[in-house]
Amino acid sequence: MINQSKWVIENESKGHLVRASTIKPRIDYATEIVDSLLDILVQHRHDVNQNNLDLYKRLDNNCQSLATLEKQVKYELELAYTIESLRQVRRSLDCIVGLGNVPTVLSPTISVVRTIRSKLLALMPAMDFQLGELSLLLGGIIIDAAHLGSTTLDFAKANETSSRLLDEAKLIADSKICKQFPNLDFW
């Protein structure tokens, strides 16, 4: 009988196997998760956008149709914000050049992922599991890389950076929605 670590779970699920791997495969897996989330969200936003454009064209200044459009555009704005935030996470994953900069580059992404996870819970609860897994995976990568590189984590700086990343994502999302619906005034 072959002895195996009690920390390695025998399962064909990629998520379980990646947790027992070194840092690079976990970064690659985090990138895959972000890409799959972005694919789903971009397609969903496209569908919502098409519906909203149709509603916008048929707008008849009826209070009920205006309220419906307002609700749908705010939903699309949240989707756009989430997409832009995840793109910030993807850019951070792409900026990793070595073990030394992993904690610095990725530590703000945990806050970004947790923020969008809490925002999406009410809008798209099916994505909660993947966002939770991504958050845990990023946290593990950061802790392991900091430990291996004897790096200290500066959470104050990470929080500042994550706030800046979220603000940038919000500006981009607001700009895109305002360009598509210039005559609506309910922000």
mmCIF file with all atom_site columns, all heavy atoms in Angstrom, residues 146-167:
data_model
loop_
_atom_site.group_PDB
_atom_site.id
_atom_site.type_symbol
_atom_site.label_atom_id
_atom_site.label_alt_id
_atom_site.label_comp_id
_atom_site.label_asym_id
_atom_site.label_entity_id
_atom_site.label_seq_id
_atom_site.pdbx_PDB_ins_code
_atom_site.Cartn_x
_atom_site.Cartn_y
_atom_site.Cartn_z
_atom_site.occupancy
_atom_site.B_iso_or_equiv
_atom_site.pdbx_formal_charge
_atom_site.auth_seq_id
_atom_site.auth_comp_id
_atom_site.auth_asym_id
_atom_site.auth_atom_id
_atom_site.pdbx_PDB_model_num
ATOM 1   N N   . ALA A 1 146 ? 4.400   34.526 -0.190  1.00 0.00 ? 146 ALA A N   1
ATOM 2   C CA  . ALA A 1 146 ? 5.019   35.400 0.815   1.00 0.00 ? 146 ALA A CA  1
ATOM 3   C C   . ALA A 1 146 ? 5.900   34.594 1.755   1.00 0.00 ? 146 ALA A C   1
ATOM 4   O O   . ALA A 1 146 ? 6.997   35.025 2.124   1.00 0.00 ? 146 ALA A O   1
ATOM 5   C CB  . ALA A 1 146 ? 3.947   36.159 1.599   1.00 0.00 ? 146 ALA A CB  1
ATOM 6   N N   . HIS A 1 147 ? 5.437   33.419 2.129   1.00 0.00 ? 147 HIS A N   1
ATOM 7   C CA  . HIS A 1 147 ? 6.222   32.561 3.009   1.00 0.00 ? 147 HIS A CA  1
ATOM 8   C C   . HIS A 1 147 ? 7.507   32.096 2.317   1.00 0.00 ? 147 HIS A C   1
ATOM 9   O O   . HIS A 1 147 ? 8.599   32.170 2.897   1.00 0.00 ? 147 HIS A O   1
ATOM 10  C CB  . HIS A 1 147 ? 5.393   31.358 3.453   1.00 0.00 ? 147 HIS A CB  1
ATOM 11  C CG  . HIS A 1 147 ? 6.144   30.384 4.294   1.00 0.00 ? 147 HIS A CG  1
ATOM 12  N ND1 . HIS A 1 147 ? 6.510   30.660 5.587   1.00 0.00 ? 147 HIS A ND1 1
ATOM 13  C CD2 . HIS A 1 147 ? 6.622   29.149 4.012   1.00 0.00 ? 147 HIS A CD2 1
ATOM 14  C CE1 . HIS A 1 147 ? 7.177   29.623 6.072   1.00 0.00 ? 147 HIS A CE1 1
ATOM 15  N NE2 . HIS A 1 147 ? 7.258   28.697 5.136   1.00 0.00 ? 147 HIS A NE2 1
ATOM 16  N N   . LEU A 1 148 ? 7.375   31.623 1.091   1.00 0.00 ? 148 LEU A N   1
ATOM 17  C CA  . LEU A 1 148 ? 8.546   31.143 0.359   1.00 0.00 ? 148 LEU A CA  1
ATOM 18  C C   . LEU A 1 148 ? 9.535   32.268 0.050   1.00 0.00 ? 148 LEU A C   1
ATOM 19  O O   . LEU A 1 148 ? 10.744  32.060 0.050   1.00 0.00 ? 148 LEU A O   1
ATOM 20  C CB  . LEU A 1 148 ? 8.123   30.466 -0.940  1.00 0.00 ? 148 LEU A CB  1
ATOM 21  C CG  . LEU A 1 148 ? 7.405   29.132 -0.792  1.00 0.00 ? 148 LEU A CG  1
ATOM 22  C CD1 . LEU A 1 148 ? 6.863   28.667 -2.133  1.00 0.00 ? 148 LEU A CD1 1
ATOM 23  C CD2 . LEU A 1 148 ? 8.325   28.087 -0.186  1.00 0.00 ? 148 LEU A CD2 1
ATOM 24  N N   . GLY A 1 149 ? 9.029   33.459 -0.214  1.00 0.00 ? 149 GLY A N   1
ATOM 25  C CA  . GLY A 1 149 ? 9.891   34.581 -0.550  1.00 0.00 ? 149 GLY A CA  1
ATOM 26  C C   . GLY A 1 149 ? 10.278  35.426 0.645   1.00 0.00 ? 149 GLY A C   1
ATOM 27  O O   . GLY A 1 149 ? 10.903  36.466 0.477   1.00 0.00 ? 149 GLY A O   1
ATOM 28  N N   . SER A 1 150 ? 9.895   35.001 1.844   1.00 0.00 ? 150 SER A N   1
ATOM 29  C CA  . SER A 1 150 ? 10.157  35.751 3.078   1.00 0.00 ? 150 SER A CA  1
ATOM 30  C C   . SER A 1 150 ? 9.715   37.205 2.952   1.00 0.00 ? 150 SER A C   1
ATOM 31  O O   . SER A 1 150 ? 10.420  38.133 3.318   1.00 0.00 ? 150 SER A O   1
ATOM 32  C CB  . SER A 1 150 ? 11.636  35.690 3.445   1.00 0.00 ? 150 SER A CB  1
ATOM 33  O OG  . SER A 1 150 ? 12.023  34.361 3.684   1.00 0.00 ? 150 SER A OG  1
ATOM 34  N N   . THR A 1 151 ? 8.532   37.377 2.399   1.00 0.00 ? 151 THR A N   1
ATOM 35  C CA  . THR A 1 151 ? 7.979   38.700 2.179   1.00 0.00 ? 151 THR A CA  1
ATOM 36  C C   . THR A 1 151 ? 6.922   38.994 3.242   1.00 0.00 ? 151 THR A C   1
ATOM 37  O O   . THR A 1 151 ? 6.175   38.102 3.634   1.00 0.00 ? 151 THR A O   1
ATOM 38  C CB  . THR A 1 151 ? 7.302   38.765 0.791   1.00 0.00 ? 151 THR A CB  1
ATOM 39  O OG1 . THR A 1 151 ? 8.222   38.329 -0.198  1.00 0.00 ? 151 THR A OG1 1
ATOM 40  C CG2 . THR A 1 151 ? 6.814   40.156 0.467   1.00 0.00 ? 151 THR A CG2 1
ATOM 41  N N   . THR A 1 152 ? 6.856   40.226 3.667   1.00 0.00 ? 152 THR A N   1
ATOM 42  C CA  . THR A 1 152 ? 5.786   40.622 4.582   1.00 0.00 ? 152 THR A CA  1
ATOM 43  C C   . THR A 1 152 ? 4.643   41.205 3.756   1.00 0.00 ? 152 THR A C   1
ATOM 44  O O   . THR A 1 152 ? 4.868   41.838 2.724   1.00 0.00 ? 152 THR A O   1
ATOM 45  C CB  . THR A 1 152 ? 6.268   41.669 5.599   1.00 0.00 ? 152 THR A CB  1
ATOM 46  O OG1 . THR A 1 152 ? 6.782   42.785 4.901   1.00 0.00 ? 152 THR A OG1 1
ATOM 47  C CG2 . THR A 1 152 ? 7.333   41.093 6.515   1.00 0.00 ? 152 THR A CG2 1
ATOM 48  N N   . LEU A 1 153 ? 3.438   40.969 4.230   1.00 0.00 ? 153 LEU A N   1
ATOM 49  C CA  . LEU A 1 153 ? 2.261   41.464 3.530   1.00 0.00 ? 153 LEU A CA  1
ATOM 50  C C   . LEU A 1 153 ? 1.832   42.786 4.148   1.00 0.00 ? 153 LEU A C   1
ATOM 51  O O   . LEU A 1 153 ? 1.683   42.891 5.359   1.00 0.00 ? 153 LEU A O   1
ATOM 52  C CB  . LEU A 1 153 ? 1.121   40.451 3.630   1.00 0.00 ? 153 LEU A CB  1
ATOM 53  C CG  . LEU A 1 153 ? 1.389   39.093 2.990   1.00 0.00 ? 153 LEU A CG  1
ATOM 54  C CD1 . LEU A 1 153 ? 0.277   38.117 3.311   1.00 0.00 ? 153 LEU A CD1 1
ATOM 55  C CD2 . LEU A 1 153 ? 1.548   39.239 1.494   1.00 0.00 ? 153 LEU A CD2 1
ATOM 56  N N   . ASP A 1 154 ? 1.641   43.787 3.315   1.00 0.00 ? 154 ASP A N   1
ATOM 57  C CA  . ASP A 1 154 ? 1.193   45.103 3.759   1.00 0.00 ? 154 ASP A CA  1
ATOM 58  C C   . ASP A 1 154 ? -0.281  45.246 3.376   1.00 0.00 ? 154 ASP A C   1
ATOM 59  O O   . ASP A 1 154 ? -0.609  45.639 2.253   1.00 0.00 ? 154 ASP A O   1
ATOM 60  C CB  . ASP A 1 154 ? 2.045   46.194 3.106   1.00 0.00 ? 154 ASP A CB  1
ATOM 61  C CG  . ASP A 1 154 ? 1.725   47.579 3.627   1.00 0.00 ? 154 ASP A CG  1
ATOM 62  O OD1 . ASP A 1 154 ? 0.783   47.721 4.429   1.00 0.00 ? 154 ASP A OD1 1
ATOM 63  O OD2 . ASP A 1 154 ? 2.427   48.521 3.217   1.00 0.00 ? 154 ASP A OD2 1
ATOM 64  N N   . PHE A 1 155 ? -1.161  44.934 4.328   1.00 0.00 ? 155 PHE A N   1
ATOM 65  C CA  . PHE A 1 155 ? -2.581  44.954 4.036   1.00 0.00 ? 155 PHE A CA  1
ATOM 66  C C   . PHE A 1 155 ? -3.121  46.364 3.844   1.00 0.00 ? 155 PHE A C   1
ATOM 67  O O   . PHE A 1 155 ? -4.078  46.556 3.091   1.00 0.00 ? 155 PHE A O   1
ATOM 68  C CB  . PHE A 1 155 ? -3.362  44.212 5.121   1.00 0.00 ? 155 PHE A CB  1
ATOM 69  C CG  . PHE A 1 155 ? -3.113  42.742 5.112   1.00 0.00 ? 155 PHE A CG  1
ATOM 70  C CD1 . PHE A 1 155 ? -2.357  42.149 6.109   1.00 0.00 ? 155 PHE A CD1 1
ATOM 71  C CD2 . PHE A 1 155 ? -3.589  41.942 4.093   1.00 0.00 ? 155 PHE A CD2 1
ATOM 72  C CE1 . PHE A 1 155 ? -2.107  40.782 6.091   1.00 0.00 ? 155 PHE A CE1 1
ATOM 73  C CE2 . PHE A 1 155 ? -3.347  40.586 4.057   1.00 0.00 ? 155 PHE A CE2 1
ATOM 74  C CZ  . PHE A 1 155 ? -2.603  39.997 5.068   1.00 0.00 ? 155 PHE A CZ  1
ATOM 75  N N   . ALA A 1 156 ? -2.530  47.341 4.490   1.00 0.00 ? 156 ALA A N   1
ATOM 76  C CA  . ALA A 1 156 ? -2.976  48.726 4.289   1.00 0.00 ? 156 ALA A CA  1
ATOM 77  C C   . ALA A 1 156 ? -2.753  49.144 2.834   1.00 0.00 ? 156 ALA A C   1
ATOM 78  O O   . ALA A 1 156 ? -3.645  49.709 2.191   1.00 0.00 ? 156 ALA A O   1
ATOM 79  C CB  . ALA A 1 156 ? -2.235  49.671 5.234   1.00 0.00 ? 156 ALA A CB  1
ATOM 80  N N   . LYS A 1 157 ? -1.574  48.823 2.313   1.00 0.00 ? 157 LYS A N   1
ATOM 81  C CA  . LYS A 1 157 ? -1.277  49.159 0.919   1.00 0.00 ? 157 LYS A CA  1
ATOM 82  C C   . LYS A 1 157 ? -2.144  48.335 -0.036  1.00 0.00 ? 157 LYS A C   1
ATOM 83  O O   . LYS A 1 157 ? -2.632  48.851 -1.042  1.00 0.00 ? 157 LYS A O   1
ATOM 84  C CB  . LYS A 1 157 ? 0.205   48.922 0.619   1.00 0.00 ? 157 LYS A CB  1
ATOM 85  C CG  . LYS A 1 157 ? 0.592   49.366 -0.760  1.00 0.00 ? 157 LYS A CG  1
ATOM 86  C CD  . LYS A 1 157 ? 2.077   49.352 -0.961  1.00 0.00 ? 157 LYS A CD  1
ATOM 87  C CE  . LYS A 1 157 ? 2.340   49.714 -2.401  1.00 0.00 ? 157 LYS A CE  1
ATOM 88  N NZ  . LYS A 1 157 ? 3.496   50.459 -2.645  1.00 0.00 ? 157 LYS A NZ  1
ATOM 89  N N   . ALA A 1 158 ? -2.362  47.076 0.290   1.00 0.00 ? 158 ALA A N   1
ATOM 90  C CA  . ALA A 1 158 ? -3.218  46.221 -0.545  1.00 0.00 ? 158 ALA A CA  1
ATOM 91  C C   . ALA A 1 158 ? -4.642  46.763 -0.590  1.00 0.00 ? 158 ALA A C   1
ATOM 92  O O   . ALA A 1 158 ? -5.279  46.774 -1.652  1.00 0.00 ? 158 ALA A O   1
ATOM 93  C CB  . ALA A 1 158 ? -3.211  44.790 -0.028  1.00 0.00 ? 158 ALA A CB  1
ATOM 94  N N   . ASN A 1 159 ? -5.151  47.234 0.551   1.00 0.00 ? 159 ASN A N   1
ATOM 95  C CA  . ASN A 1 159 ? -6.500  47.791 0.589   1.00 0.00 ? 159 ASN A CA  1
ATOM 96  C C   . ASN A 1 159 ? -6.596  49.089 -0.206  1.00 0.00 ? 159 ASN A C   1
ATOM 97  O O   . ASN A 1 159 ? -7.603  49.338 -0.879  1.00 0.00 ? 159 ASN A O   1
ATOM 98  C CB  . ASN A 1 159 ? -6.956  48.006 2.032   1.00 0.00 ? 159 ASN A CB  1
ATOM 99  C CG  . ASN A 1 159 ? -7.255  46.703 2.728   1.00 0.00 ? 159 ASN A CG  1
ATOM 100 O OD1 . ASN A 1 159 ? -7.540  45.693 2.091   1.00 0.00 ? 159 ASN A OD1 1
ATOM 101 N ND2 . ASN A 1 159 ? -7.179  46.709 4.045   1.00 0.00 ? 159 ASN A ND2 1
ATOM 102 N N   . GLU A 1 160 ? -5.564  49.915 -0.144  1.00 0.00 ? 160 GLU A N   1
ATOM 103 C CA  . GLU A 1 160 ? -5.534  51.139 -0.948  1.00 0.00 ? 160 GLU A CA  1
ATOM 104 C C   . GLU A 1 160 ? -5.562  50.801 -2.436  1.00 0.00 ? 160 GLU A C   1
ATOM 105 O O   . GLU A 1 160 ? -6.304  51.405 -3.209  1.00 0.00 ? 160 GLU A O   1
ATOM 106 C CB  . GLU A 1 160 ? -4.281  51.958 -0.646  1.00 0.00 ? 160 GLU A CB  1
ATOM 107 C CG  . GLU A 1 160 ? -4.276  52.657 0.682   1.00 0.00 ? 160 GLU A CG  1
ATOM 108 C CD  . GLU A 1 160 ? -2.939  53.340 0.972   1.00 0.00 ? 160 GLU A CD  1
ATOM 109 O OE1 . GLU A 1 160 ? -2.146  53.580 0.030   1.00 0.00 ? 160 GLU A OE1 1
ATOM 110 O OE2 . GLU A 1 160 ? -2.689  53.634 2.149   1.00 0.00 ? 160 GLU A OE2 1
ATOM 111 N N   . THR A 1 161 ? -4.747  49.839 -2.808  1.00 0.00 ? 161 THR A N   1
ATOM 112 C CA  . THR A 1 161 ? -4.684  49.442 -4.214  1.00 0.00 ? 161 THR A CA  1
ATOM 113 C C   . THR A 1 161 ? -5.998  48.836 -4.676  1.00 0.00 ? 161 THR A C   1
ATOM 114 O O   . THR A 1 161 ? -6.470  49.131 -5.777  1.00 0.00 ? 161 THR A O   1
ATOM 115 C CB  . THR A 1 161 ? -3.519  48.449 -4.443  1.00 0.00 ? 161 THR A CB  1
ATOM 116 O OG1 . THR A 1 161 ? -2.309  49.039 -3.978  1.00 0.00 ? 161 THR A OG1 1
ATOM 117 C CG2 . THR A 1 161 ? -3.380  48.094 -5.906  1.00 0.00 ? 161 THR A CG2 1
ATOM 118 N N   . SER A 1 162 ? -6.611  47.995 -3.839  1.00 0.00 ? 162 SER A N   1
ATOM 119 C CA  . SER A 1 162 ? -7.884  47.388 -4.236  1.00 0.00 ? 162 SER A CA  1
ATOM 120 C C   . SER A 1 162 ? -8.974  48.450 -4.366  1.00 0.00 ? 162 SER A C   1
ATOM 121 O O   . SER A 1 162 ? -9.802  48.375 -5.280  1.00 0.00 ? 162 SER A O   1
ATOM 122 C CB  . SER A 1 162 ? -8.308  46.287 -3.261  1.00 0.00 ? 162 SER A CB  1
ATOM 123 O OG  . SER A 1 162 ? -8.632  46.829 -2.007  1.00 0.00 ? 162 SER A OG  1
ATOM 124 N N   . SER A 1 163 ? -8.966  49.451 -3.496  1.00 0.00 ? 163 SER A N   1
ATOM 125 C CA  . SER A 1 163 ? -9.938  50.550 -3.616  1.00 0.00 ? 163 SER A CA  1
ATOM 126 C C   . SER A 1 163 ? -9.737  51.297 -4.928  1.00 0.00 ? 163 SER A C   1
ATOM 127 O O   . SER A 1 163 ? -10.707 51.653 -5.605  1.00 0.00 ? 163 SER A O   1
ATOM 128 C CB  . SER A 1 163 ? -9.800  51.525 -2.453  1.00 0.00 ? 163 SER A CB  1
ATOM 129 O OG  . SER A 1 163 ? -10.197 50.935 -1.260  1.00 0.00 ? 163 SER A OG  1
ATOM 130 N N   . ARG A 1 164 ? -8.481  51.527 -5.277  1.00 0.00 ? 164 ARG A N   1
ATOM 131 C CA  . ARG A 1 164 ? -8.185  52.200 -6.539  1.00 0.00 ? 164 ARG A CA  1
ATOM 132 C C   . ARG A 1 164 ? -8.644  51.362 -7.735  1.00 0.00 ? 164 ARG A C   1
ATOM 133 O O   . ARG A 1 164 ? -9.259  51.874 -8.676  1.00 0.00 ? 164 ARG A O   1
ATOM 134 C CB  . ARG A 1 164 ? -6.691  52.498 -6.652  1.00 0.00 ? 164 ARG A CB  1
ATOM 135 C CG  . ARG A 1 164 ? -6.320  53.277 -7.917  1.00 0.00 ? 164 ARG A CG  1
ATOM 136 C CD  . ARG A 1 164 ? -4.814  53.495 -8.053  1.00 0.00 ? 164 ARG A CD  1
ATOM 137 N NE  . ARG A 1 164 ? -4.015  52.307 -7.890  1.00 0.00 ? 164 ARG A NE  1
ATOM 138 C CZ  . ARG A 1 164 ? -3.829  51.369 -8.840  1.00 0.00 ? 164 ARG A CZ  1
ATOM 139 N NH1 . ARG A 1 164 ? -4.418  51.492 -10.001 1.00 0.00 ? 164 ARG A NH1 1
ATOM 140 N NH2 . ARG A 1 164 ? -3.059  50.336 -8.618  1.00 0.00 ? 164 ARG A NH2 1
ATOM 141 N N   . LEU A 1 165 ? -8.394  50.047 -7.683  1.00 0.00 ? 165 LEU A N   1
ATOM 142 C CA  . LEU A 1 165 ? -8.814  49.159 -8.766  1.00 0.00 ? 165 LEU A CA  1
ATOM 143 C C   . LEU A 1 165 ? -10.331 49.134 -8.903  1.00 0.00 ? 165 LEU A C   1
ATOM 144 O O   . LEU A 1 165 ? -10.870 49.171 -10.022 1.00 0.00 ? 165 LEU A O   1
ATOM 145 C CB  . LEU A 1 165 ? -8.287  47.743 -8.528  1.00 0.00 ? 165 LEU A CB  1
ATOM 146 C CG  . LEU A 1 165 ? -6.787  47.538 -8.623  1.00 0.00 ? 165 LEU A CG  1
ATOM 147 C CD1 . LEU A 1 165 ? -6.409  46.119 -8.216  1.00 0.00 ? 165 LEU A CD1 1
ATOM 148 C CD2 . LEU A 1 165 ? -6.277  47.843 -10.017 1.00 0.00 ? 165 LEU A CD2 1
ATOM 149 N N   . LEU A 1 166 ? -11.036 49.091 -7.779  1.00 0.00 ? 166 LEU A N   1
ATOM 150 C CA  . LEU A 1 166 ? -12.504 49.094 -7.812  1.00 0.00 ? 166 LEU A CA  1
ATOM 151 C C   . LEU A 1 166 ? -13.040 50.435 -8.314  1.00 0.00 ? 166 LEU A C   1
ATOM 152 O O   . LEU A 1 166 ? -14.030 50.461 -9.069  1.00 0.00 ? 166 LEU A O   1
ATOM 153 C CB  . LEU A 1 166 ? -13.066 48.758 -6.434  1.00 0.00 ? 166 LEU A CB  1
ATOM 154 C CG  . LEU A 1 166 ? -12.887 47.311 -5.991  1.00 0.00 ? 166 LEU A CG  1
ATOM 155 C CD1 . LEU A 1 166 ? -13.187 47.159 -4.510  1.00 0.00 ? 166 LEU A CD1 1
ATOM 156 C CD2 . LEU A 1 166 ? -13.761 46.379 -6.819  1.00 0.00 ? 166 LEU A CD2 1
ATOM 157 N N   . ASP A 1 167 ? -12.398 51.531 -7.929  1.00 0.00 ? 167 ASP A N   1
ATOM 158 C CA  . ASP A 1 167 ? -12.818 52.848 -8.423  1.00 0.00 ? 167 ASP A CA  1
ATOM 159 C C   . ASP A 1 167 ? -12.621 52.946 -9.934  1.00 0.00 ? 167 ASP A C   1
ATOM 160 O O   . ASP A 1 167 ? -13.481 53.480 -10.649 1.00 0.00 ? 167 ASP A O   1
ATOM 161 C CB  . ASP A 1 167 ? -12.041 53.962 -7.721  1.00 0.00 ? 167 ASP A CB  1
ATOM 162 C CG  . ASP A 1 167 ? -12.453 54.153 -6.271  1.00 0.00 ? 167 ASP A CG  1
ATOM 163 O OD1 . ASP A 1 167 ? -13.531 53.642 -5.877  1.00 0.00 ? 167 ASP A OD1 1
ATOM 164 O OD2 . ASP A 1 167 ? -11.685 54.802 -5.517  1.00 0.00 ? 167 ASP A OD2 1
#
